[in-house]
Amino acid sequence: MSSINFRAKLLTALDKAKPSALYQQHPAKTNDEIEDILFQQYRTELALGRQKPNQLAEETQTNDTRGTYRYIPRFHFELPKSTNSLAQKLREEARTLFLQKRSKELLDNGEFKLLWSLLEKHHTPPLVGEEQYINYESYCRVGTIAGEKFRRYLTATTFARLLASSSSPGRIGVIALFNYTMRKVWLQQTRIGLSLYDYTGQGFLSESDMESYILELIPTFPQLEGLEKSFHSFYVCTTVRKFFFFLDPLRTGRIRIRDVLTCSFLDDLLELRDEEIPKDAQELNWFSAPSALSVYGHYLNLDKDHNGMLSRKELIGYGSGTLTPIFLERVFAECLTYDGEMDYKTYLDFVLALENRAEPQSLHYLFRILDVEHRGYLTAFTLNYFFKGIQEELSAHRAEPINFDDVKDEIFDMVKPADPTRITLKDLISCGHGETVVSILIEFHKFWAYENREVMVTSTASEDTHNL
């Protein structure tokens, strides 16, 4: 019914339109073309609900000679509200279909085999050692033979990038090209996999999104085959906390997919796909089963009352056992606790901060604890407040007392802050000695090692000379 009314209105408008005006505007156009122009104008009127076709015709008389920006197409669409379940489902289905389409555009194992055989067949002599190289002419020939799907990977830009690091003038390594292509496809596959969990489609993952992604990855990793199912939730928590600790230091509750793809430890996680990993490499990999079990095991060992939480008294046993009580008091004051006790997730942030003290994210975490007055900077008063904990330990070990002013001057000399009376987080990160500054304020054995560093170096040198 609506289409009949629309056509009737269109014909009426055509009858009312002044033929002379339309033909003057478009003298070379036929009657059908004039009707089509009027149709477009009338459709615009319906969309805008503001003007009549004749008014629009008058305003667009000079469209052929000069452009107009009167009508700007819509470019922003709000996300569907949570109450609009149909719109949300439609958006989710559309995104899924889009990602499936992108996934089909990627090279599969058979296509990688084809690419390798073509690169070997068309490589450009001579060999350099046993390595094959290929020049740009042969490179283009491979792209043509392989087909359209391969051309997005075998571009002139790719050749130029690899040529910049090639040891053979005018040629690139066949292995380097193949590895580059594999890496690019792998990154695209990973991005698509992560995007499937980005339900809003804005390029971010929440903590629960990331947990779902990791949980579904576990069965695909040969290195995690022996992991008990009851431990899966703790493994997921351990894994996700590292991503959020380093990629979300401001605690916004979400991380960018782009940051996940570019961070170095994504490689560590996907290394678990390998059938065999050396034992020492597993111990250094935060995401390996032995590492996750070790972190959780230490947590359980600290939990003396077995209530699943850690009190300040229990946390004193962490690491060397020489973290000062003043520092631990501040940890419990600043970090999320439940009835004054720390859960496993908060403990993981604590561990990541102390095990990576040189990293900006760790310094951000520790600076928040050191900033007692919440001013955004540390003063001599702040340093003295924490150094009292070190002085108490010195007294307990019957060591010779150390003058705070000497320590304060040494810290300010190391940091060289922009303002000589205060140390900001930026100063701490940029000075390159942030790890040392923090350590000598919060942990006795680190302070002791720093204070006696010259003696220790001399002792080590003497032992080496004796061994020779």
Side-chain angles (χ1 to χ4, degrees), residues 218-238:
I218 290 176
T220 69
F221 290 152
Q223 289 297 322
L224 301 180
E225 284 180 356
L227 211 59
E228 292 184 12
K229 204 162 187 177
S230 59
F231 186 69
H232 282 189
S233 60
F234 294 101
Y235 176 81
V236 168
C237 182
T238 305

Side-chain angles (χ1 to χ4, degrees), residues 144-161:
T144 303
I145 296 171
E148 187 67 31
K149 194 172 181 180
F150 292 80
R151 287 175 192 166
R152 59 185 299 191
Y153 302 100
L154 304 177
T155 63
T157 303
T158 299
F159 188 89
R161 283 177 180 169

